[in-house]
Amino acid sequence: MRAHTGDALLVRGHHVGDHDRQAVIIEVHGSDGAPPYLVRWEDGHESVFFPSSDAFVERMPQREKTD
């Protein structure tokens, strides 16, 4: 799995009735976009996250810097 700062992270629920969880990657701690990631979850808390097979990264378009 490879990600960039600002990408969205989606974790599927494991059981019937479980909600999917969403986060934004705010730091990439591995080399070349590899995990672990520091993420901010929808409820605002932050954690270091090691994704498993139920997690997906959605690339967000990179914003161009304006001087």
Side-chain angles (χ1 to χ4, degrees), residues 11-51:
V11 181
R12 298 283 183 200
H14 291 141
H15 305 285
V16 173
D18 283 353
H19 296 283
D20 294 345
R21 297 175 26 197
Q22 296 181 359
V24 174
I25 297 172
I26 54 178
E27 290 180 10
V28 176
H29 290 204
S31 61
D32 195 31
Y37 306 123
L38 179 63
V39 299
R40 182 175 299 120
W41 298 99
E42 290 177 297
D43 64 3
H45 83 273
E46 296 176 3
S47 64
V48 175
F49 186 75
F50 293 83

mmCIF file of all heavy atoms in Angstrom, residues 11-51:
data_model
loop_
_atom_site.group_PDB
_atom_site.id
_atom_site.type_symbol
_atom_site.label_atom_id
_atom_site.label_comp_id
_atom_site.label_asym_id
_atom_site.label_seq_id
_atom_site.Cartn_x
_atom_site.Cartn_y
_atom_site.Cartn_z
ATOM 1 N N VAL A 11 -11.774 2.239 5.853
ATOM 2 C CA VAL A 11 -11.673 0.924 6.483
ATOM 3 C C VAL A 11 -13.074 0.343 6.540
ATOM 4 O O VAL A 11 -13.981 0.925 7.150
ATOM 5 C CB VAL A 11 -11.080 1.023 7.904
ATOM 6 C CG1 VAL A 11 -10.967 -0.370 8.524
ATOM 7 C CG2 VAL A 11 -9.730 1.714 7.873
ATOM 8 N N ARG A 12 -13.272 -0.787 5.890
ATOM 9 C CA ARG A 12 -14.578 -1.453 5.846
ATOM 10 C C ARG A 12 -14.928 -2.061 7.197
ATOM 11 O O ARG A 12 -14.061 -2.569 7.904
ATOM 12 C CB ARG A 12 -14.579 -2.560 4.790
ATOM 13 C CG ARG A 12 -14.335 -2.063 3.397
ATOM 14 C CD ARG A 12 -15.570 -1.440 2.846
ATOM 15 N NE ARG A 12 -15.329 -1.025 1.473
ATOM 16 C CZ ARG A 12 -16.055 -0.127 0.860
ATOM 17 N NH1 ARG A 12 -17.049 0.438 1.484
ATOM 18 N NH2 ARG A 12 -15.796 0.218 -0.371
ATOM 19 N N GLY A 13 -16.221 -2.046 7.553
ATOM 20 C CA GLY A 13 -16.703 -2.692 8.768
ATOM 21 C C GLY A 13 -16.516 -4.201 8.674
ATOM 22 O O GLY A 13 -16.607 -4.781 7.582
ATOM 23 N N HIS A 14 -16.249 -4.843 9.791
ATOM 24 C CA HIS A 14 -15.980 -6.284 9.796
ATOM 25 C C HIS A 14 -17.217 -7.147 9.946
ATOM 26 O O HIS A 14 -17.222 -8.303 9.544
ATOM 27 C CB HIS A 14 -15.022 -6.631 10.934
ATOM 28 C CG HIS A 14 -13.651 -6.095 10.711
ATOM 29 N ND1 HIS A 14 -12.900 -5.570 11.724
ATOM 30 C CD2 HIS A 14 -12.890 -5.992 9.603
ATOM 31 C CE1 HIS A 14 -11.738 -5.180 11.259
ATOM 32 N NE2 HIS A 14 -11.713 -5.412 9.973
ATOM 33 N N HIS A 15 -18.260 -6.624 10.550
ATOM 34 C CA HIS A 15 -19.452 -7.412 10.851
ATOM 35 C C HIS A 15 -20.688 -6.728 10.279
ATOM 36 O O HIS A 15 -20.680 -5.517 10.036
ATOM 37 C CB HIS A 15 -19.614 -7.572 12.364
ATOM 38 C CG HIS A 15 -18.412 -8.151 13.035
ATOM 39 N ND1 HIS A 15 -18.091 -9.480 12.955
ATOM 40 C CD2 HIS A 15 -17.444 -7.569 13.784
ATOM 41 C CE1 HIS A 15 -16.970 -9.697 13.639
ATOM 42 N NE2 HIS A 15 -16.549 -8.550 14.144
ATOM 43 N N VAL A 16 -21.747 -7.490 10.117
ATOM 44 C CA VAL A 16 -23.006 -6.926 9.651
ATOM 45 C C VAL A 16 -23.419 -5.820 10.613
ATOM 46 O O VAL A 16 -23.396 -5.995 11.836
ATOM 47 C CB VAL A 16 -24.099 -8.013 9.578
ATOM 48 C CG1 VAL A 16 -25.449 -7.402 9.254
ATOM 49 C CG2 VAL A 16 -23.728 -9.061 8.553
ATOM 50 N N GLY A 17 -23.743 -4.673 10.085
ATOM 51 C CA GLY A 17 -24.147 -3.538 10.893
ATOM 52 C C GLY A 17 -23.009 -2.620 11.288
ATOM 53 O O GLY A 17 -23.253 -1.515 11.763
ATOM 54 N N ASP A 18 -21.759 -3.059 11.124
ATOM 55 C CA ASP A 18 -20.620 -2.189 11.406
ATOM 56 C C ASP A 18 -20.520 -1.127 10.319
ATOM 57 O O ASP A 18 -20.712 -1.414 9.144
ATOM 58 C CB ASP A 18 -19.296 -2.969 11.422
ATOM 59 C CG ASP A 18 -19.099 -3.767 12.676
ATOM 60 O OD1 ASP A 18 -19.919 -3.637 13.615
ATOM 61 O OD2 ASP A 18 -18.125 -4.540 12.730
ATOM 62 N N HIS A 19 -20.213 0.076 10.727
ATOM 63 C CA HIS A 19 -20.046 1.164 9.775
ATOM 64 C C HIS A 19 -18.615 1.186 9.249
ATOM 65 O O HIS A 19 -17.687 0.785 9.942
ATOM 66 C CB HIS A 19 -20.362 2.505 10.432
ATOM 67 C CG HIS A 19 -21.788 2.628 10.859
ATOM 68 N ND1 HIS A 19 -22.807 2.886 9.981
ATOM 69 C CD2 HIS A 19 -22.361 2.506 12.074
ATOM 70 C CE1 HIS A 19 -23.959 2.920 10.626
ATOM 71 N NE2 HIS A 19 -23.715 2.698 11.911
ATOM 72 N N ASP A 20 -18.467 1.666 8.023
ATOM 73 C CA ASP A 20 -17.129 1.919 7.492
ATOM 74 C C ASP A 20 -16.553 3.110 8.252
ATOM 75 O O ASP A 20 -17.283 3.986 8.710
ATOM 76 C CB ASP A 20 -17.187 2.253 5.997
ATOM 77 C CG ASP A 20 -17.643 1.071 5.156
ATOM 78 O OD1 ASP A 20 -17.637 -0.066 5.663
ATOM 79 O OD2 ASP A 20 -17.985 1.303 3.980
ATOM 80 N N ARG A 21 -15.236 3.135 8.382
ATOM 81 C CA ARG A 21 -14.546 4.250 9.036
ATOM 82 C C ARG A 21 -13.730 4.987 7.998
ATOM 83 O O ARG A 21 -13.139 4.372 7.117
ATOM 84 C CB ARG A 21 -13.645 3.732 10.151
ATOM 85 C CG ARG A 21 -14.402 3.064 11.244
ATOM 86 C CD ARG A 21 -13.533 2.431 12.297
ATOM 87 N NE ARG A 21 -12.225 3.048 12.429
ATOM 88 C CZ ARG A 21 -11.197 2.489 13.036
ATOM 89 N NH1 ARG A 21 -11.316 1.308 13.569
ATOM 90 N NH2 ARG A 21 -10.040 3.098 13.106
ATOM 91 N N GLN A 22 -13.706 6.306 8.096
ATOM 92 C CA GLN A 22 -12.950 7.129 7.154
ATOM 93 C C GLN A 22 -11.982 8.027 7.902
ATOM 94 O O GLN A 22 -12.275 8.475 9.010
ATOM 95 C CB GLN A 22 -13.893 7.983 6.314
ATOM 96 C CG GLN A 22 -14.788 7.168 5.433
ATOM 97 C CD GLN A 22 -15.700 8.036 4.593
ATOM 98 O OE1 GLN A 22 -15.684 9.261 4.674
ATOM 99 N NE2 GLN A 22 -16.515 7.405 3.772
ATOM 100 N N ALA A 23 -10.833 8.255 7.263
ATOM 101 C CA ALA A 23 -9.810 9.118 7.845
ATOM 102 C C ALA A 23 -9.067 9.829 6.729
ATOM 103 O O ALA A 23 -9.166 9.458 5.560
ATOM 104 C CB ALA A 23 -8.831 8.294 8.681
ATOM 105 N N VAL A 24 -8.308 10.839 7.111
ATOM 106 C CA VAL A 24 -7.418 11.548 6.194
ATOM 107 C C VAL A 24 -5.995 11.303 6.672
ATOM 108 O O VAL A 24 -5.716 11.401 7.876
ATOM 109 C CB VAL A 24 -7.720 13.064 6.180
ATOM 110 C CG1 VAL A 24 -6.697 13.804 5.341
ATOM 111 C CG2 VAL A 24 -9.116 13.322 5.668
ATOM 112 N N ILE A 25 -5.120 10.965 5.758
ATOM 113 C CA ILE A 25 -3.720 10.728 6.104
ATOM 114 C C ILE A 25 -3.044 12.084 6.267
ATOM 115 O O ILE A 25 -3.021 12.895 5.336
ATOM 116 C CB ILE A 25 -3.026 9.884 5.022
ATOM 117 C CG1 ILE A 25 -3.697 8.509 4.959
ATOM 118 C CG2 ILE A 25 -1.529 9.771 5.298
ATOM 119 C CD1 ILE A 25 -3.243 7.638 3.808
ATOM 120 N N ILE A 26 -2.506 12.319 7.470
ATOM 121 C CA ILE A 26 -1.865 13.609 7.722
ATOM 122 C C ILE A 26 -0.342 13.503 7.767
ATOM 123 O O ILE A 26 0.338 14.511 7.632
ATOM 124 C CB ILE A 26 -2.423 14.296 8.983
ATOM 125 C CG1 ILE A 26 -2.360 13.396 10.207
ATOM 126 C CG2 ILE A 26 -3.853 14.730 8.740
ATOM 127 C CD1 ILE A 26 -2.855 14.060 11.485
ATOM 128 N N GLU A 27 0.188 12.286 7.935
ATOM 129 C CA GLU A 27 1.628 12.054 7.844
ATOM 130 C C GLU A 27 1.879 10.633 7.371
ATOM 131 O O GLU A 27 1.150 9.716 7.752
ATOM 132 C CB GLU A 27 2.329 12.219 9.206
ATOM 133 C CG GLU A 27 2.389 13.620 9.727
ATOM 134 C CD GLU A 27 3.083 13.707 11.079
ATOM 135 O OE1 GLU A 27 3.682 12.700 11.532
ATOM 136 O OE2 GLU A 27 3.008 14.785 11.684
ATOM 137 N N VAL A 28 2.899 10.459 6.556
ATOM 138 C CA VAL A 28 3.329 9.133 6.103
ATOM 139 C C VAL A 28 4.660 8.854 6.800
ATOM 140 O O VAL A 28 5.623 9.596 6.624
ATOM 141 C CB VAL A 28 3.495 9.090 4.567
ATOM 142 C CG1 VAL A 28 4.026 7.742 4.124
ATOM 143 C CG2 VAL A 28 2.167 9.410 3.887
ATOM 144 N N HIS A 29 4.712 7.792 7.600
ATOM 145 C CA HIS A 29 5.917 7.502 8.384
ATOM 146 C C HIS A 29 6.813 6.457 7.738
ATOM 147 O O HIS A 29 7.969 6.310 8.140
ATOM 148 C CB HIS A 29 5.539 7.042 9.793
ATOM 149 C CG HIS A 29 4.969 8.146 10.620
ATOM 150 N ND1 HIS A 29 4.998 8.128 11.985
ATOM 151 C CD2 HIS A 29 4.358 9.314 10.297
ATOM 152 C CE1 HIS A 29 4.442 9.222 12.464
ATOM 153 N NE2 HIS A 29 4.030 9.953 11.452
ATOM 154 N N GLY A 30 6.316 5.708 6.767
ATOM 155 C CA GLY A 30 7.127 4.719 6.073
ATOM 156 C C GLY A 30 7.857 5.341 4.901
ATOM 157 O O GLY A 30 7.585 6.471 4.488
ATOM 158 N N SER A 31 8.788 4.588 4.353
ATOM 159 C CA SER A 31 9.522 5.098 3.194
ATOM 160 C C SER A 31 8.714 4.896 1.917
ATOM 161 O O SER A 31 7.988 3.911 1.780
ATOM 162 C CB SER A 31 10.878 4.407 3.083
ATOM 163 O OG SER A 31 10.698 3.021 2.903
ATOM 164 N N ASP A 32 8.808 5.834 1.004
ATOM 165 C CA ASP A 32 8.154 5.756 -0.302
ATOM 166 C C ASP A 32 6.650 5.532 -0.208
ATOM 167 O O ASP A 32 6.077 4.759 -0.951
ATOM 168 C CB ASP A 32 8.821 4.671 -1.147
ATOM 169 C CG ASP A 32 8.450 4.775 -2.621
ATOM 170 O OD1 ASP A 32 8.204 5.907 -3.092
ATOM 171 O OD2 ASP A 32 8.400 3.727 -3.284
ATOM 172 N N GLY A 33 5.988 6.194 0.748
ATOM 173 C CA GLY A 33 4.539 6.123 0.877
ATOM 174 C C GLY A 33 4.008 4.915 1.610
ATOM 175 O O GLY A 33 2.803 4.685 1.671
ATOM 176 N N ALA A 34 4.882 4.128 2.207
ATOM 177 C CA ALA A 34 4.463 2.916 2.914
ATOM 178 C C ALA A 34 3.978 3.254 4.330
ATOM 179 O O ALA A 34 4.336 4.283 4.891
ATOM 180 C CB ALA A 34 5.623 1.931 2.979
ATOM 181 N N PRO A 35 3.167 2.364 4.920
ATOM 182 C CA PRO A 35 2.722 2.562 6.301
ATOM 183 C C PRO A 35 3.895 2.483 7.268
ATOM 184 O O PRO A 35 4.941 1.959 6.901
ATOM 185 C CB PRO A 35 1.768 1.391 6.531
ATOM 186 C CG PRO A 35 1.515 0.777 5.205
ATOM 187 C CD PRO A 35 2.618 1.186 4.303
ATOM 188 N N PRO A 36 3.692 2.942 8.477
ATOM 189 C CA PRO A 36 2.450 3.401 9.103
ATOM 190 C C PRO A 36 2.113 4.841 8.720
ATOM 191 O O PRO A 36 2.960 5.592 8.245
ATOM 192 C CB PRO A 36 2.756 3.298 10.598
ATOM 193 C CG PRO A 36 4.224 3.544 10.690
ATOM 194 C CD PRO A 36 4.807 2.931 9.438
ATOM 195 N N TYR A 37 0.836 5.185 8.964
ATOM 196 C CA TYR A 37 0.328 6.513 8.654
ATOM 197 C C TYR A 37 -0.232 7.149 9.928
ATOM 198 O O TYR A 37 -0.844 6.462 10.753
ATOM 199 C CB TYR A 37 -0.807 6.446 7.627
ATOM 200 C CG TYR A 37 -0.457 5.705 6.379
ATOM 201 C CD1 TYR A 37 -1.205 4.617 5.953
ATOM 202 C CD2 TYR A 37 0.630 6.081 5.602
ATOM 203 C CE1 TYR A 37 -0.882 3.935 4.792
ATOM 204 C CE2 TYR A 37 0.965 5.404 4.445
ATOM 205 C CZ TYR A 37 0.199 4.330 4.050
ATOM 206 O OH TYR A 37 0.528 3.653 2.906
ATOM 207 N N LEU A 38 -0.039 8.437 10.062
ATOM 208 C CA LEU A 38 -0.748 9.196 11.082
ATOM 209 C C LEU A 38 -2.017 9.686 10.408
ATOM 210 O O LEU A 38 -1.949 10.340 9.356
ATOM 211 C CB LEU A 38 0.088 10.370 11.590
ATOM 212 C CG LEU A 38 -0.582 11.242 12.651
ATOM 213 C CD1 LEU A 38 -0.868 10.446 13.919
ATOM 214 C CD2 LEU A 38 0.281 12.458 12.965
ATOM 215 N N VAL A 39 -3.167 9.336 10.974
ATOM 216 C CA VAL A 39 -4.451 9.667 10.343
ATOM 217 C C VAL A 39 -5.329 10.452 11.309
ATOM 218 O O VAL A 39 -5.200 10.348 12.528
ATOM 219 C CB VAL A 39 -5.194 8.391 9.868
ATOM 220 C CG1 VAL A 39 -4.375 7.636 8.842
ATOM 221 C CG2 VAL A 39 -5.551 7.488 11.030
ATOM 222 N N ARG A 40 -6.242 11.242 10.728
ATOM 223 C CA ARG A 40 -7.263 11.950 11.496
ATOM 224 C C ARG A 40 -8.605 11.341 11.106
ATOM 225 O O ARG A 40 -9.031 11.417 9.951
ATOM 226 C CB ARG A 40 -7.253 13.446 11.203
ATOM 227 C CG ARG A 40 -8.281 14.211 12.027
ATOM 228 C CD ARG A 40 -8.197 15.722 11.843
ATOM 229 N NE ARG A 40 -6.885 16.196 12.255
ATOM 230 C CZ ARG A 40 -6.035 16.839 11.436
ATOM 231 N NH1 ARG A 40 -6.355 17.068 10.183
ATOM 232 N NH2 ARG A 40 -4.868 17.245 11.889
ATOM 233 N N TRP A 41 -9.255 10.723 12.087
ATOM 234 C CA TRP A 41 -10.541 10.071 11.859
ATOM 235 C C TRP A 41 -11.665 11.091 11.799
ATOM 236 O O TRP A 41 -11.497 12.247 12.194
ATOM 237 C CB TRP A 41 -10.805 9.040 12.959
ATOM 238 C CG TRP A 41 -9.775 7.960 12.955
ATOM 239 C CD1 TRP A 41 -8.690 7.864 13.771
ATOM 240 C CD2 TRP A 41 -9.699 6.851 12.056
ATOM 241 N NE1 TRP A 41 -7.943 6.756 13.446
ATOM 242 C CE2 TRP A 41 -8.543 6.103 12.393
ATOM 243 C CE3 TRP A 41 -10.479 6.395 11.003
ATOM 244 C CZ2 TRP A 41 -8.163 4.951 11.716
ATOM 245 C CZ3 TRP A 41 -10.105 5.241 10.338
ATOM 246 C CH2 TRP A 41 -8.967 4.535 10.701
ATOM 247 N N GLU A 42 -12.829 10.648 11.342
ATOM 248 C CA GLU A 42 -13.982 11.543 11.178
ATOM 249 C C GLU A 42 -14.376 12.254 12.468
ATOM 250 O O GLU A 42 -14.866 13.376 12.428
ATOM 251 C CB GLU A 42 -15.198 10.763 10.678
ATOM 252 C CG GLU A 42 -15.079 10.303 9.260
ATOM 253 C CD GLU A 42 -16.283 9.476 8.863
ATOM 254 O OE1 GLU A 42 -16.488 8.399 9.457
ATOM 255 O OE2 GLU A 42 -17.005 9.928 7.957
ATOM 256 N N ASP A 43 -14.172 11.603 13.608
ATOM 257 C CA ASP A 43 -14.555 12.220 14.879
ATOM 258 C C ASP A 43 -13.491 13.189 15.410
ATOM 259 O O ASP A 43 -13.641 13.765 16.479
ATOM 260 C CB ASP A 43 -14.879 11.173 15.927
ATOM 261 C CG ASP A 43 -13.685 10.307 16.308
ATOM 262 O OD1 ASP A 43 -12.570 10.535 15.800
ATOM 263 O OD2 ASP A 43 -13.877 9.378 17.122
ATOM 264 N N GLY A 44 -12.382 13.342 14.649
ATOM 265 C CA GLY A 44 -11.362 14.312 15.003
ATOM 266 C C GLY A 44 -10.154 13.751 15.723
ATOM 267 O O GLY A 44 -9.138 14.433 15.833
ATOM 268 N N HIS A 45 -10.237 12.515 16.228
ATOM 269 C CA HIS A 45 -9.049 12.003 16.931
ATOM 270 C C HIS A 45 -8.015 11.521 15.921
ATOM 271 O O HIS A 45 -8.346 11.185 14.790
ATOM 272 C CB HIS A 45 -9.411 10.933 17.972
ATOM 273 C CG HIS A 45 -9.584 9.559 17.453
ATOM 274 N ND1 HIS A 45 -10.768 9.074 16.964
ATOM 275 C CD2 HIS A 45 -8.700 8.533 17.364
ATOM 276 C CE1 HIS A 45 -10.621 7.817 16.579
ATOM 277 N NE2 HIS A 45 -9.377 7.458 16.806
ATOM 278 N N GLU A 46 -6.760 11.522 16.358
ATOM 279 C CA GLU A 46 -5.648 11.127 15.497
ATOM 280 C C GLU A 46 -4.989 9.882 16.072
ATOM 281 O O GLU A 46 -4.932 9.708 17.291
ATOM 282 C CB GLU A 46 -4.624 12.258 15.395
ATOM 283 C CG GLU A 46 -5.183 13.489 14.737
ATOM 284 C CD GLU A 46 -4.202 14.647 14.707
ATOM 285 O OE1 GLU A 46 -3.047 14.494 15.152
ATOM 286 O OE2 GLU A 46 -4.602 15.725 14.233
ATOM 287 N N SER A 47 -4.488 9.024 15.180
ATOM 288 C CA SER A 47 -3.785 7.823 15.621
ATOM 289 C C SER A 47 -2.815 7.370 14.546
ATOM 290 O O SER A 47 -2.952 7.724 13.374
ATOM 291 C CB SER A 47 -4.775 6.697 15.954
ATOM 292 O OG SER A 47 -5.483 6.301 14.795
ATOM 293 N N VAL A 48 -1.836 6.583 14.962
ATOM 294 C CA VAL A 48 -0.935 5.931 14.021
ATOM 295 C C VAL A 48 -1.649 4.667 13.567
ATOM 296 O O VAL A 48 -2.168 3.909 14.385
ATOM 297 C CB VAL A 48 0.419 5.593 14.683
ATOM 298 C CG1 VAL A 48 1.293 4.803 13.727
ATOM 299 C CG2 VAL A 48 1.115 6.868 15.113
ATOM 300 N N PHE A 49 -1.698 4.447 12.253
ATOM 301 C CA PHE A 49 -2.501 3.362 11.693
ATOM 302 C C PHE A 49 -1.651 2.481 10.789
ATOM 303 O O PHE A 49 -0.938 2.980 9.921
ATOM 304 C CB PHE A 49 -3.682 3.948 10.911
ATOM 305 C CG PHE A 49 -4.654 2.926 10.415
ATOM 306 C CD1 PHE A 49 -5.531 2.310 11.272
ATOM 307 C CD2 PHE A 49 -4.680 2.582 9.070
ATOM 308 C CE1 PHE A 49 -6.427 1.362 10.819
ATOM 309 C CE2 PHE A 49 -5.569 1.639 8.609
ATOM 310 C CZ PHE A 49 -6.447 1.021 9.478
ATOM 311 N N PHE A 50 -1.722 1.185 11.027
ATOM 312 C CA PHE A 50 -1.082 0.174 10.188
ATOM 313 C C PHE A 50 -2.199 -0.532 9.430
ATOM 314 O O PHE A 50 -2.898 -1.372 10.002
ATOM 315 C CB PHE A 50 -0.312 -0.838 11.037
ATOM 316 C CG PHE A 50 0.882 -0.274 11.735
ATOM 317 C CD1 PHE A 50 0.754 0.403 12.939
ATOM 318 C CD2 PHE A 50 2.144 -0.428 11.182
ATOM 319 C CE1 PHE A 50 1.862 0.913 13.589
ATOM 320 C CE2 PHE A 50 3.262 0.083 11.835
ATOM 321 C CZ PHE A 50 3.120 0.749 13.032
ATOM 322 N N PRO A 51 -2.444 -0.217 8.153
ATOM 323 C CA PRO A 51 -3.576 -0.782 7.426
ATOM 324 C C PRO A 51 -3.449 -2.289 7.196
ATOM 325 O O PRO A 51 -2.350 -2.819 7.057
ATOM 326 C CB PRO A 51 -3.580 -0.037 6.094
ATOM 327 C CG PRO A 51 -2.275 0.635 5.996
ATOM 328 C CD PRO A 51 -1.670 0.711 7.347
#
